[in-house]
Amino acid sequence: MYNELPASALPEIEEALQHDPELATACADLLLAQRTLEGLRCEPRPAVSARILEYSRTFPAGS
């Protein structure tokens, strides 16, 4: 999924995926999940950041 295997292992993996439908389904599900997660936003909404900053201002400086 992350291209972390050596190229020499790919034929064996491909063969296993072709001959094991359960493994192929699991692999497809993982690849779909990976693509979905990569598309997610990885930062808070501006309103959330503003609330955190507003809350932090209620504490005395240097605390």
Short mmCIF file of all heavy atoms in Angstrom, two decimals:
data_model
loop_
_atom_site.label_atom_id
_atom_site.label_comp_id
_atom_site.label_asym_id
_atom_site.label_seq_id
_atom_site.Cartn_x
_atom_site.Cartn_y
_atom_site.Cartn_z
N MET A 1 0.82 -1.19 0.00
CA MET A 1 0.00 0.00 0.00
C MET A 1 0.86 1.26 0.00
O MET A 1 0.48 2.25 -0.58
CB MET A 1 -0.91 0.01 1.21
CG MET A 1 -2.00 -1.03 1.14
SD MET A 1 -3.15 -1.02 2.52
CE MET A 1 -3.50 0.69 2.71
N TYR A 2 1.97 1.21 0.69
CA TYR A 2 2.83 2.38 0.78
C TYR A 2 4.13 2.19 0.00
O TYR A 2 5.08 2.92 0.22
CB TYR A 2 3.14 2.69 2.24
CG TYR A 2 1.93 3.13 3.01
CD1 TYR A 2 1.26 2.25 3.86
CD2 TYR A 2 1.44 4.41 2.88
CE1 TYR A 2 0.13 2.64 4.56
CE2 TYR A 2 0.31 4.82 3.57
CZ TYR A 2 -0.33 3.93 4.41
OH TYR A 2 -1.44 4.32 5.09
N ASN A 3 4.15 1.20 -0.89
CA ASN A 3 5.34 0.91 -1.69
C ASN A 3 6.58 0.70 -0.83
O ASN A 3 7.66 1.18 -1.16
CB ASN A 3 5.57 2.02 -2.73
CG ASN A 3 4.43 2.11 -3.70
OD1 ASN A 3 3.92 1.09 -4.15
ND2 ASN A 3 4.02 3.31 -4.01
N GLU A 4 6.41 -0.02 0.25
CA GLU A 4 7.54 -0.23 1.16
C GLU A 4 8.22 -1.59 0.98
O GLU A 4 9.23 -1.86 1.62
CB GLU A 4 7.08 -0.04 2.61
CG GLU A 4 5.94 -0.94 3.00
CD GLU A 4 5.30 -0.56 4.33
OE1 GLU A 4 5.48 0.56 4.79
OE2 GLU A 4 4.61 -1.42 4.88
N LEU A 5 7.67 -2.43 0.14
CA LEU A 5 8.28 -3.73 -0.11
C LEU A 5 9.30 -3.64 -1.23
O LEU A 5 9.16 -2.81 -2.14
CB LEU A 5 7.21 -4.75 -0.51
CG LEU A 5 6.21 -5.14 0.57
CD1 LEU A 5 5.15 -6.04 -0.02
CD2 LEU A 5 6.91 -5.84 1.71
N PRO A 6 10.30 -4.49 -1.19
CA PRO A 6 11.24 -4.50 -2.32
C PRO A 6 10.54 -4.99 -3.59
O PRO A 6 9.59 -5.77 -3.54
CB PRO A 6 12.32 -5.48 -1.87
CG PRO A 6 11.71 -6.29 -0.79
CD PRO A 6 10.64 -5.46 -0.16
N ALA A 7 11.01 -4.52 -4.73
CA ALA A 7 10.41 -4.88 -6.00
C ALA A 7 10.39 -6.40 -6.21
O ALA A 7 9.49 -6.94 -6.86
CB ALA A 7 11.15 -4.19 -7.14
N SER A 8 11.36 -7.08 -5.63
CA SER A 8 11.43 -8.54 -5.81
C SER A 8 10.25 -9.26 -5.16
O SER A 8 9.94 -10.39 -5.52
CB SER A 8 12.75 -9.06 -5.23
OG SER A 8 12.83 -8.78 -3.84
N ALA A 9 9.57 -8.62 -4.21
CA ALA A 9 8.44 -9.24 -3.54
C ALA A 9 7.13 -9.03 -4.28
O ALA A 9 6.14 -9.72 -4.00
CB ALA A 9 8.32 -8.70 -2.12
N LEU A 10 7.09 -8.10 -5.22
CA LEU A 10 5.83 -7.77 -5.89
C LEU A 10 5.20 -8.93 -6.64
O LEU A 10 3.98 -9.13 -6.53
CB LEU A 10 6.03 -6.57 -6.82
CG LEU A 10 6.32 -5.26 -6.10
CD1 LEU A 10 6.51 -4.13 -7.11
CD2 LEU A 10 5.23 -4.92 -5.11
N PRO A 11 5.94 -9.73 -7.40
CA PRO A 11 5.28 -10.86 -8.09
C PRO A 11 4.58 -11.82 -7.14
O PRO A 11 3.47 -12.29 -7.42
CB PRO A 11 6.43 -11.55 -8.83
CG PRO A 11 7.47 -10.49 -9.00
CD PRO A 11 7.35 -9.61 -7.78
N GLU A 12 5.20 -12.08 -6.01
CA GLU A 12 4.58 -12.99 -5.03
C GLU A 12 3.31 -12.37 -4.45
O GLU A 12 2.30 -13.07 -4.28
CB GLU A 12 5.59 -13.28 -3.91
CG GLU A 12 5.11 -14.32 -2.93
CD GLU A 12 6.17 -14.64 -1.89
OE1 GLU A 12 7.35 -14.30 -2.06
OE2 GLU A 12 5.78 -15.25 -0.87
N ILE A 13 3.35 -11.09 -4.17
CA ILE A 13 2.16 -10.40 -3.64
C ILE A 13 1.05 -10.41 -4.69
O ILE A 13 -0.11 -10.71 -4.37
CB ILE A 13 2.51 -8.94 -3.25
CG1 ILE A 13 3.58 -8.89 -2.17
CG2 ILE A 13 1.26 -8.17 -2.85
CD1 ILE A 13 3.13 -9.37 -0.82
N GLU A 14 1.38 -10.08 -5.92
CA GLU A 14 0.38 -10.06 -6.99
C GLU A 14 -0.25 -11.44 -7.19
O GLU A 14 -1.46 -11.56 -7.38
CB GLU A 14 1.01 -9.56 -8.28
CG GLU A 14 1.35 -8.09 -8.23
CD GLU A 14 2.14 -7.61 -9.43
OE1 GLU A 14 2.56 -8.46 -10.25
OE2 GLU A 14 2.34 -6.40 -9.53
N GLU A 15 0.56 -12.47 -7.13
CA GLU A 15 0.04 -13.82 -7.28
C GLU A 15 -0.91 -14.17 -6.12
O GLU A 15 -1.98 -14.75 -6.33
CB GLU A 15 1.17 -14.84 -7.34
CG GLU A 15 0.68 -16.25 -7.60
CD GLU A 15 1.80 -17.25 -7.78
OE1 GLU A 15 2.93 -16.86 -8.09
OE2 GLU A 15 1.51 -18.45 -7.61
N ALA A 16 -0.52 -13.80 -4.91
CA ALA A 16 -1.38 -14.07 -3.75
C ALA A 16 -2.71 -13.35 -3.90
O ALA A 16 -3.78 -13.91 -3.59
CB ALA A 16 -0.67 -13.63 -2.47
N LEU A 17 -2.68 -12.10 -4.38
CA LEU A 17 -3.92 -11.34 -4.55
C LEU A 17 -4.80 -11.96 -5.64
O LEU A 17 -6.03 -11.94 -5.52
CB LEU A 17 -3.59 -9.88 -4.90
CG LEU A 17 -3.00 -9.06 -3.76
CD1 LEU A 17 -2.49 -7.72 -4.29
CD2 LEU A 17 -4.00 -8.84 -2.64
N GLN A 18 -4.20 -12.53 -6.66
CA GLN A 18 -4.98 -13.14 -7.75
C GLN A 18 -5.62 -14.45 -7.32
O GLN A 18 -6.69 -14.83 -7.83
CB GLN A 18 -4.08 -13.39 -8.95
CG GLN A 18 -3.67 -12.13 -9.66
CD GLN A 18 -2.70 -12.40 -10.80
OE1 GLN A 18 -2.28 -13.54 -11.03
NE2 GLN A 18 -2.33 -11.35 -11.51
N HIS A 19 -5.02 -15.14 -6.39
CA HIS A 19 -5.51 -16.47 -6.01
C HIS A 19 -6.27 -16.50 -4.68
O HIS A 19 -6.79 -17.55 -4.31
CB HIS A 19 -4.34 -17.47 -5.95
CG HIS A 19 -3.76 -17.73 -7.30
ND1 HIS A 19 -2.71 -17.02 -7.80
CD2 HIS A 19 -4.13 -18.61 -8.27
CE1 HIS A 19 -2.41 -17.45 -9.02
NE2 HIS A 19 -3.27 -18.42 -9.33
N ASP A 20 -6.34 -15.39 -4.00
CA ASP A 20 -7.03 -15.35 -2.70
C ASP A 20 -8.02 -14.19 -2.71
O ASP A 20 -7.66 -13.05 -2.44
CB ASP A 20 -6.02 -15.19 -1.57
CG ASP A 20 -6.64 -15.29 -0.20
OD1 ASP A 20 -7.86 -15.10 -0.06
OD2 ASP A 20 -5.88 -15.55 0.76
N PRO A 21 -9.29 -14.47 -3.04
CA PRO A 21 -10.29 -13.40 -3.14
C PRO A 21 -10.48 -12.63 -1.82
O PRO A 21 -10.71 -11.43 -1.83
CB PRO A 21 -11.58 -14.11 -3.53
CG PRO A 21 -11.21 -15.50 -3.89
CD PRO A 21 -9.84 -15.77 -3.37
N GLU A 22 -10.36 -13.34 -0.71
CA GLU A 22 -10.51 -12.67 0.59
C GLU A 22 -9.37 -11.66 0.81
O GLU A 22 -9.59 -10.54 1.27
CB GLU A 22 -10.52 -13.72 1.70
CG GLU A 22 -10.96 -13.16 3.04
CD GLU A 22 -11.13 -14.28 4.06
OE1 GLU A 22 -11.64 -15.36 3.72
OE2 GLU A 22 -10.73 -14.05 5.21
N LEU A 23 -8.17 -12.06 0.47
CA LEU A 23 -7.02 -11.17 0.58
C LEU A 23 -7.16 -9.99 -0.37
O LEU A 23 -6.89 -8.84 -0.01
CB LEU A 23 -5.72 -11.93 0.29
CG LEU A 23 -4.43 -11.13 0.34
CD1 LEU A 23 -4.18 -10.58 1.74
CD2 LEU A 23 -3.25 -11.99 -0.10
N ALA A 24 -7.61 -10.25 -1.59
CA ALA A 24 -7.79 -9.18 -2.57
C ALA A 24 -8.84 -8.18 -2.10
O ALA A 24 -8.67 -6.97 -2.25
CB ALA A 24 -8.18 -9.77 -3.93
N THR A 25 -9.92 -8.67 -1.52
CA THR A 25 -10.97 -7.79 -1.00
C THR A 25 -10.43 -6.93 0.14
O THR A 25 -10.68 -5.73 0.20
CB THR A 25 -12.19 -8.61 -0.53
OG1 THR A 25 -12.72 -9.31 -1.66
CG2 THR A 25 -13.27 -7.72 0.05
N ALA A 26 -9.70 -7.55 1.06
CA ALA A 26 -9.12 -6.81 2.18
C ALA A 26 -8.15 -5.74 1.68
O ALA A 26 -8.15 -4.60 2.16
CB ALA A 26 -8.42 -7.76 3.15
N CYS A 27 -7.35 -6.09 0.69
CA CYS A 27 -6.40 -5.14 0.13
C CYS A 27 -7.14 -3.97 -0.53
O CYS A 27 -6.77 -2.81 -0.35
CB CYS A 27 -5.50 -5.84 -0.88
SG CYS A 27 -4.22 -4.78 -1.56
N ALA A 28 -8.19 -4.27 -1.29
CA ALA A 28 -8.98 -3.22 -1.94
C ALA A 28 -9.61 -2.31 -0.90
O ALA A 28 -9.63 -1.08 -1.07
CB ALA A 28 -10.04 -3.85 -2.83
N ASP A 29 -10.13 -2.88 0.18
CA ASP A 29 -10.73 -2.07 1.25
C ASP A 29 -9.69 -1.16 1.88
O ASP A 29 -9.97 0.02 2.17
CB ASP A 29 -11.34 -2.97 2.32
CG ASP A 29 -12.61 -3.68 1.85
OD1 ASP A 29 -13.18 -3.28 0.81
OD2 ASP A 29 -13.01 -4.64 2.53
N LEU A 30 -8.50 -1.68 2.10
CA LEU A 30 -7.43 -0.87 2.70
C LEU A 30 -6.99 0.26 1.77
O LEU A 30 -6.74 1.39 2.21
CB LEU A 30 -6.24 -1.75 3.08
CG LEU A 30 -6.47 -2.67 4.27
CD1 LEU A 30 -5.32 -3.66 4.39
CD2 LEU A 30 -6.63 -1.87 5.55
N LEU A 31 -6.89 -0.03 0.48
CA LEU A 31 -6.52 1.01 -0.48
C LEU A 31 -7.57 2.10 -0.56
O LEU A 31 -7.25 3.29 -0.63
CB LEU A 31 -6.28 0.39 -1.86
CG LEU A 31 -5.00 -0.44 -1.99
CD1 LEU A 31 -5.00 -1.21 -3.31
CD2 LEU A 31 -3.77 0.43 -1.86
N LEU A 32 -8.84 1.72 -0.51
CA LEU A 32 -9.92 2.70 -0.50
C LEU A 32 -9.86 3.56 0.75
O LEU A 32 -9.99 4.79 0.69
CB LEU A 32 -11.28 2.01 -0.62
CG LEU A 32 -12.51 2.91 -0.57
CD1 LEU A 32 -12.49 3.91 -1.72
CD2 LEU A 32 -13.77 2.08 -0.60
N ALA A 33 -9.65 2.94 1.90
CA ALA A 33 -9.53 3.68 3.15
C ALA A 33 -8.34 4.64 3.10
O ALA A 33 -8.44 5.80 3.54
CB ALA A 33 -9.39 2.73 4.33
N GLN A 34 -7.24 4.18 2.55
CA GLN A 34 -6.05 5.03 2.42
C GLN A 34 -6.35 6.26 1.57
O GLN A 34 -6.02 7.39 1.96
CB GLN A 34 -4.90 4.23 1.81
CG GLN A 34 -3.62 5.03 1.63
CD GLN A 34 -2.58 4.27 0.83
OE1 GLN A 34 -2.91 3.54 -0.11
NE2 GLN A 34 -1.33 4.41 1.22
N ARG A 35 -6.98 6.07 0.42
CA ARG A 35 -7.31 7.21 -0.44
C ARG A 35 -8.28 8.16 0.25
O ARG A 35 -8.17 9.38 0.12
CB ARG A 35 -7.89 6.71 -1.76
CG ARG A 35 -6.84 6.22 -2.72
CD ARG A 35 -7.41 6.05 -4.12
NE ARG A 35 -8.47 5.07 -4.19
CZ ARG A 35 -8.29 3.76 -4.39
NH1 ARG A 35 -7.07 3.28 -4.53
NH2 ARG A 35 -9.31 2.94 -4.45
N THR A 36 -9.25 7.61 0.97
CA THR A 36 -10.22 8.43 1.67
C THR A 36 -9.55 9.27 2.75
O THR A 36 -9.80 10.47 2.87
CB THR A 36 -11.32 7.55 2.29
OG1 THR A 36 -11.95 6.80 1.24
CG2 THR A 36 -12.36 8.37 3.01
N LEU A 37 -8.68 8.65 3.53
CA LEU A 37 -8.01 9.35 4.62
C LEU A 37 -7.07 10.43 4.10
O LEU A 37 -6.94 11.49 4.71
CB LEU A 37 -7.25 8.36 5.50
CG LEU A 37 -8.12 7.45 6.35
CD1 LEU A 37 -7.27 6.39 7.03
CD2 LEU A 37 -8.90 8.26 7.38
N GLU A 38 -6.42 10.18 2.97
CA GLU A 38 -5.51 11.17 2.41
C GLU A 38 -6.26 12.43 2.00
O GLU A 38 -5.68 13.51 1.98
CB GLU A 38 -4.75 10.59 1.22
CG GLU A 38 -3.69 9.59 1.64
CD GLU A 38 -3.03 8.88 0.46
OE1 GLU A 38 -3.50 9.03 -0.68
OE2 GLU A 38 -2.04 8.17 0.72
N GLY A 39 -7.54 12.30 1.70
CA GLY A 39 -8.32 13.45 1.27
C GLY A 39 -8.93 14.25 2.41
O GLY A 39 -9.54 15.29 2.17
N LEU A 40 -8.78 13.79 3.63
CA LEU A 40 -9.37 14.48 4.76
C LEU A 40 -8.60 15.73 5.12
O LEU A 40 -7.39 15.82 4.95
CB LEU A 40 -9.44 13.56 5.98
CG LEU A 40 -10.38 12.38 5.88
CD1 LEU A 40 -10.30 11.53 7.13
CD2 LEU A 40 -11.81 12.84 5.65
N ARG A 41 -9.30 16.67 5.65
CA ARG A 41 -8.69 17.92 6.10
C ARG A 41 -7.92 17.65 7.39
O ARG A 41 -8.43 17.02 8.31
CB ARG A 41 -9.80 18.93 6.34
CG ARG A 41 -9.33 20.29 6.60
CD ARG A 41 -10.52 21.22 6.71
NE ARG A 41 -10.04 22.57 6.88
CZ ARG A 41 -10.79 23.62 6.74
NH1 ARG A 41 -12.05 23.48 6.44
NH2 ARG A 41 -10.29 24.81 6.91
N CYS A 42 -6.72 18.18 7.47
CA CYS A 42 -5.85 17.90 8.62
C CYS A 42 -5.59 19.14 9.46
O CYS A 42 -4.56 19.24 10.12
CB CYS A 42 -4.53 17.31 8.14
SG CYS A 42 -4.70 15.72 7.33
N GLU A 43 -6.50 20.08 9.45
CA GLU A 43 -6.34 21.28 10.27
C GLU A 43 -7.71 21.68 10.81
O GLU A 43 -8.73 21.38 10.19
CB GLU A 43 -5.72 22.41 9.47
CG GLU A 43 -6.51 22.78 8.24
CD GLU A 43 -5.80 23.81 7.38
OE1 GLU A 43 -4.61 23.62 7.08
OE2 GLU A 43 -6.44 24.80 7.02
N PRO A 44 -7.73 22.35 11.94
CA PRO A 44 -9.03 22.73 12.51
C PRO A 44 -9.67 23.85 11.69
O PRO A 44 -8.99 24.61 10.99
CB PRO A 44 -8.68 23.21 13.91
CG PRO A 44 -7.26 23.63 13.82
CD PRO A 44 -6.62 22.75 12.80
N ARG A 45 -10.97 23.95 11.82
CA ARG A 45 -11.68 25.07 11.19
C ARG A 45 -11.23 26.37 11.85
O ARG A 45 -10.86 26.38 13.03
CB ARG A 45 -13.18 24.91 11.37
CG ARG A 45 -13.76 23.71 10.64
CD ARG A 45 -15.25 23.68 10.84
NE ARG A 45 -15.55 23.94 12.26
CZ ARG A 45 -16.39 23.26 13.00
NH1 ARG A 45 -17.06 22.28 12.49
NH2 ARG A 45 -16.59 23.57 14.25
N PRO A 46 -11.25 27.48 11.15
CA PRO A 46 -10.84 28.76 11.74
C PRO A 46 -11.61 29.10 13.01
O PRO A 46 -11.04 29.67 13.96
CB PRO A 46 -11.12 29.77 10.63
CG PRO A 46 -11.02 28.98 9.37
CD PRO A 46 -11.54 27.61 9.72
N ALA A 47 -12.90 28.76 13.08
CA ALA A 47 -13.69 29.07 14.28
C ALA A 47 -13.16 28.32 15.49
O ALA A 47 -13.15 28.86 16.61
CB ALA A 47 -15.16 28.71 14.04
N VAL A 48 -12.69 27.10 15.30
CA VAL A 48 -12.13 26.33 16.41
C VAL A 48 -10.84 26.97 16.90
O VAL A 48 -10.63 27.15 18.11
CB VAL A 48 -11.90 24.86 15.99
CG1 VAL A 48 -11.15 24.09 17.07
CG2 VAL A 48 -13.22 24.18 15.67
N SER A 49 -9.97 27.35 15.97
CA SER A 49 -8.72 28.02 16.36
C SER A 49 -9.01 29.31 17.10
O SER A 49 -8.35 29.63 18.09
CB SER A 49 -7.87 28.31 15.11
OG SER A 49 -7.48 27.11 14.50
N ALA A 50 -10.00 30.07 16.62
CA ALA A 50 -10.35 31.34 17.28
C ALA A 50 -10.83 31.10 18.71
O ALA A 50 -10.46 31.85 19.62
CB ALA A 50 -11.40 32.08 16.46
N ARG A 51 -11.64 30.08 18.91
CA ARG A 51 -12.12 29.79 20.27
C ARG A 51 -10.98 29.41 21.20
O ARG A 51 -10.94 29.80 22.36
CB ARG A 51 -13.15 28.66 20.24
CG ARG A 51 -14.49 29.09 19.74
CD ARG A 51 -15.47 27.96 19.85
NE ARG A 51 -16.74 28.33 19.26
CZ ARG A 51 -17.65 27.47 18.88
NH1 ARG A 51 -17.43 26.18 19.02
NH2 ARG A 51 -18.77 27.89 18.35
N ILE A 52 -10.05 28.61 20.71
CA ILE A 52 -8.90 28.21 21.53
C ILE A 52 -8.08 29.43 21.91
O ILE A 52 -7.68 29.59 23.08
CB ILE A 52 -8.05 27.16 20.79
CG1 ILE A 52 -8.83 25.85 20.67
CG2 ILE A 52 -6.71 26.94 21.50
CD1 ILE A 52 -8.18 24.83 19.75
N LEU A 53 -7.82 30.29 20.94
CA LEU A 53 -7.05 31.51 21.23
C LEU A 53 -7.79 32.41 22.21
O LEU A 53 -7.19 32.98 23.13
CB LEU A 53 -6.74 32.27 19.94
CG LEU A 53 -5.73 31.60 19.03
CD1 LEU A 53 -5.66 32.34 17.70
CD2 LEU A 53 -4.36 31.56 19.70
N GLU A 54 -9.09 32.53 22.03
CA GLU A 54 -9.90 33.34 22.94
C GLU A 54 -9.82 32.78 24.36
O GLU A 54 -9.64 33.51 25.33
CB GLU A 54 -11.35 33.37 22.45
CG GLU A 54 -12.26 34.25 23.27
CD GLU A 54 -13.67 34.23 22.72
OE1 GLU A 54 -13.84 34.18 21.48
OE2 GLU A 54 -14.61 34.26 23.54
N TYR A 55 -9.95 31.48 24.48
CA TYR A 55 -9.87 30.83 25.80
C TYR A 55 -8.49 31.04 26.41
O TYR A 55 -8.36 31.30 27.62
CB TYR A 55 -10.18 29.34 25.66
CG TYR A 55 -10.03 28.58 26.96
CD1 TYR A 55 -10.99 28.72 27.98
CD2 TYR A 55 -8.96 27.74 27.17
CE1 TYR A 55 -10.86 28.02 29.17
CE2 TYR A 55 -8.83 27.02 28.36
CZ TYR A 55 -9.77 27.18 29.35
OH TYR A 55 -9.64 26.49 30.53
N SER A 56 -7.44 30.94 25.60
CA SER A 56 -6.08 31.07 26.15
C SER A 56 -5.84 32.47 26.70
O SER A 56 -5.00 32.65 27.59
CB SER A 56 -5.03 30.74 25.08
OG SER A 56 -4.98 31.74 24.09
N ARG A 57 -6.56 33.46 26.21
CA ARG A 57 -6.39 34.83 26.70
C ARG A 57 -7.00 35.04 28.08
O ARG A 57 -6.78 36.07 28.69
CB ARG A 57 -6.98 35.81 25.70
CG ARG A 57 -6.19 35.86 24.42
CD ARG A 57 -6.74 36.93 23.45
NE ARG A 57 -6.08 36.78 22.17
CZ ARG A 57 -6.66 36.35 21.05
NH1 ARG A 57 -7.94 36.02 21.05
NH2 ARG A 57 -5.97 36.24 19.94
N THR A 58 -7.75 34.07 28.58
CA THR A 58 -8.37 34.21 29.91
C THR A 58 -7.37 33.89 31.02
O THR A 58 -7.67 34.10 32.18
CB THR A 58 -9.60 33.30 30.06
OG1 THR A 58 -9.19 31.93 29.98
CG2 THR A 58 -10.63 33.59 28.98
N PHE A 59 -6.19 33.38 30.65
CA PHE A 59 -5.18 33.04 31.65
C PHE A 59 -4.17 34.19 31.77
O PHE A 59 -3.82 34.82 30.76
CB PHE A 59 -4.44 31.75 31.25
CG PHE A 59 -5.31 30.54 31.27
CD1 PHE A 59 -5.95 30.10 30.12
CD2 PHE A 59 -5.53 29.86 32.46
CE1 PHE A 59 -6.77 28.98 30.15
CE2 PHE A 59 -6.36 28.75 32.50
CZ PHE A 59 -6.97 28.31 31.33
N PRO A 60 -3.69 34.44 32.99
CA PRO A 60 -2.69 35.49 33.16
C PRO A 60 -1.41 35.15 32.39
O PRO A 60 -1.05 33.98 32.25
CB PRO A 60 -2.41 35.51 34.66
CG PRO A 60 -3.48 34.69 35.29
CD PRO A 60 -4.07 33.83 34.23
N ALA A 61 -0.72 36.14 31.89
CA ALA A 61 0.52 35.94 31.15
C ALA A 61 1.56 35.30 32.07
O ALA A 61 1.64 35.62 33.26
CB ALA A 61 1.03 37.25 30.60
N GLY A 62 2.35 34.37 31.55
CA GLY A 62 3.39 33.73 32.31
C GLY A 62 2.92 32.54 33.15
O GLY A 62 3.67 31.97 33.90
N SER A 63 1.66 32.16 33.03
CA SER A 63 1.15 31.01 33.80
C SER A 63 1.37 29.73 33.07
O SER A 63 1.33 29.60 31.93
CB SER A 63 -0.34 31.15 34.06
OG SER A 63 -0.61 32.27 34.84
#
